[in-house]
Amino acid sequence: QQPVQSPQAVILREGEDAVINCSSSKALYSVHWYRQKHGEAPVFLMILLKGGEQKGHDKISASFNEKKQQSSLYLTASQLSYSGTYFCGTEIDYGQNFVFGPGTRLSVLP
Amino acid sequence: NAGVTQTPKFQVLKTGQSMTLQCAQDMNHEYMSWYRQDPGMGLRLIHYSVGAGITDQGEVPNGYNVSRSTTEDFPLRLLSAAPSQTSVYFCASSYGANTEAFFGQGTRLTVV
């Protein structure tokens, strides 16, 4: 079952922060995050595993709350290059039933 | 390294025609997948493979066939194209489950 992402779209000014949420109705084993720029292929950001730690990558980090079956992606001091559509992908078990969410469109303006 | 290579980049088919979308990777990855991307739907898994000779269905397999005779190649066959198969198709590969997936540049398919 496809995870739910919120918000559907967000517009920011350069330097502002954003949070993108991903939630599932099923218990999750892992959450994957990808970013896709218009007309390009999705690019990997990070994977969070059940029982694992919060991950970080430059000014982009993510958390995984297993009890709530939710993950959040945090974008700090956003840059123009952060614009794109962010997808979460979820697994209910190792290598099982991997499903992407519908995406969150992020636009960063100067 | 070329990574994941998809051909063709663009294709127009008539309803009822068949064709094969090609996908090749040079990273010796075991996992390969095909997705279709439609506006507002995200990426939906069509078929996937966990190694040569092993394939399985994803969320939306109807109308598509796959085979995996080598580690490098994972072609997607449209048996009888329908307008509902108009979409952007992405191939992806990864070392294993829960590892970074690398995507090809996509094939934009239009069925008229």
Side-chain angles (χ1 to χ4, degrees):
Chain A
Q1 188 170 354
Q2 191 178 46
V4 176
Q5 287 187 236
S6 62
Q8 288 185 322
V10 59
I11 300 174
L12 300 173
R13 291 285 180 187
E14 219 175 347
E16 292 180 338
D17 301 339
V19 180
I20 299 171
N21 300 302
C22 175
S23 63
S24 173
S25 60
K26 294 179 182 284
L28 297 175
Y29 176 81
S30 70
V31 180
H32 305 216
W33 286 98
Y34 286 80
R35 176 173 62 206
Q36 184 180 29
K37 293 184 180 290
H38 183 69
E40 298 181 6
V43 173
F44 172 81
L45 293 175
M46 63 191 77
I47 292 174
L48 299 101
L49 300 179
K50 182 177 176 180
E53 299 175 352
Q54 180 165 334
K55 291 277 186 83
H57 172 62
D58 194 11
K59 293 179 180 173
I60 300 175
S61 62
S63 63
F64 180 18
N65 187 322
E66 297 161 32
K67 289 184 179 177
K68 291 187 177 180
Q69 295 152 202
Q70 290 178 348
S71 176
S72 294
L73 186 72
Y74 307 95
L75 298 101
T76 306
S78 58
Q79 305 168 17
L80 296 176
S81 61
Y82 286 3
S83 292
T85 301
Y86 289 77
F87 294 98
C88 70
T90 58
E91 278 181 311
I92 61 172
D93 201 350
Y94 180 81
Q96 299 293 319
N97 300 105
F98 183 80
V99 183
F100 277 105
T104 294
R105 181 174 293 180
L106 179 77
S107 301
V108 181
L109 304 178
Chain B
N1 281 347
V4 180
T5 303
Q6 287 183 238
T7 55
K9 287 190 168 59
F10 301 94
Q11 183 70 49
V12 179
L13 287 179
K14 292 183 178 179
T15 297
Q17 286 184 318
S18 62
M19 80 159 293
T20 299
L21 307 186
Q22 301 291 345
C23 176
Q25 53 93 7
D26 61 0
M27 296 173 282
N28 203 32
H29 285 168
E30 290 296 326
Y31 279 59
M32 296 187 75
S33 310
W34 276 103
Y35 294 89
R36 60 176 291 173
Q37 185 171 34
D38 303 294
M41 301 290 290
L43 294 140
R44 291 184 292 169
L45 182 64
I46 305 171
H47 286 285
Y48 66 98
S49 169
V50 299
I54 306 169
T55 63
D56 206 347
Q57 297 181 351
E59 303 168 73
V60 289
N62 292 341
Y64 307 96
N65 271 357
V66 292
S67 59
R68 184 99 181 269
S69 55
T70 66
T71 299
E72 294 78 20
D73 299 300
F74 191 43
L76 178 72
R77 296 182 188 85
L78 279 72
L79 308 173
S80 177
S84 61
Q85 293 179 305
T86 293
S87 188
V88 179
Y89 291 84
F90 286 100
C91 176
S93 76
S94 61
Y95 180 74
N98 293 310
T99 61
E100 175 180 358
F102 294 83
F103 284 80
Q105 287 305 301
T107 295
R108 185 173 293 275
L109 176 69
T110 302
V111 182
V112 297

